Amino acid sequence: MPRSTRPRKTEVTGHKPAKTPVKLTVNGADHIIYVEPRRTLLDVLRKDLGLTGTKKGCDEGTCGACTVLLDGKPIYACMALAVECEEKSIETIENLGRDGQLHPVQRAFIEQDAFQCGFCTSGQIMSVKALLDVNPKPSIEEVKAALAGNLCRCGAYLKICKAALCAAKLLHQEG
Ligand code: FES
Ligand code: FES
């Protein structure tokens, strides 16, 4: 029988990696937090900063539920280390509403009934916001391309695309 080529298991020594101070700018506020270098931005947002609007779906970069904006661009927070995000601007769903009013993208999702369970919704909304920030009048193809990294297990894609176009109109009207 051939010998197994599987690498030997790494010895578990009980040693914990040292925490390092990181300055994260989240929704315009600076936070100095001590994190192990291996921790993801997603876990730090949810567990250390209590920003649970960003959801953990697959935790391996396939579903988009954890989408946040990093310097205005959508990223999977489960695939970014918190230490990599120092000196960058991080925006989460909690930053969208103002003075008790929902953001137009959020309102468009409600108007168009663009969800069922809602688990993917904050990620979808952040991807739509990132698109409309740079392209206020997208075509349906551009909407689909922008949402290609956001899966919806409930299959609400049609209404999600309609919501994105509706949000573009609302933003235009409200100037
Ligand atoms: S939780 Fe990050 S992509 Fe699924
Ligand atoms: S609304 Fe349920 S996963 Fe999208």
Side-chain angles (χ1 to χ4, degrees):
M1 225 166 124
R3 283 168 71 97
S4 167
T5 53
R6 191 183 295 175
R8 279 195 210 160
K9 276 190 184 164
T10 311
E11 256 183 59
V12 178
T13 60
H15 171 74
K16 275 194 158 187
K19 291 186 178 180
T20 185
V22 183
K23 183 173 146 198
L24 294 180
T25 305
V26 183
N27 300 334
D30 291 337
H31 303 269
I32 309 275
I33 44 178
Y34 286 78
V35 294
E36 292 172 15
R38 67 191 170 115
R39 290 190 68 215
T40 64
L41 176 62
L42 176 61
D43 280 342
V44 169
L45 288 173
R46 289 179 56 84
K47 293 185 182 161
D48 297 51
L49 299 180
L51 297 171
T52 54
T54 304
K55 301 300 180 202
K56 184 187 273 193
C58 63
D59 203 22
E60 58 179 30
T62 57
C63 74
C66 64
T67 303
V68 298
L69 307 192
L70 190 68
D71 285 343
K73 298 206 174 99
I75 62 152
Y76 291 160
C78 71
M79 297 302 285
L81 295 174
V83 291
E84 293 175 309
C85 300
E86 199 161 35
E87 307 298 336
K88 294 181 181 167
S89 164
I90 300 155
E91 185 175 17
T92 71
I93 188 87
E94 285 86 354
N95 197 44
L96 266 55
R98 284 275 176 279
D99 305 323
Q101 297 292 315
L102 293 176
H103 186 278
V105 179
Q106 293 171 305
R107 277 189 276 130
F109 269 68
I110 293 171
E111 274 181 31
Q112 297 299 319
D113 193 22
F115 39 74
Q116 287 183 38
C117 76
F119 201 80
C120 70
T121 308
S122 58
Q124 306 273 8
I125 286 174
M126 295 312 287
S127 290
V128 171
K129 179 178 186 286
L131 169 68
L132 299 181
D133 282 348
V134 295
N135 180 0
K137 272 184 96 176
S139 65
I140 186 67
E141 286 73 25
E142 288 168 326
V143 167
K144 285 181 186 170
L147 290 172
N150 292 84
L151 302 185
C152 174
R153 277 170 285 188
C154 300
Y157 295 110
L158 211 59
K159 290 182 173 181
I160 290 168
C161 289
K162 279 188 184 168
L165 297 174
C166 171
K169 273 191 201 147
L170 288 177
L171 280 163
H172 179 70
Q173 284 164 6
E174 297 172 19

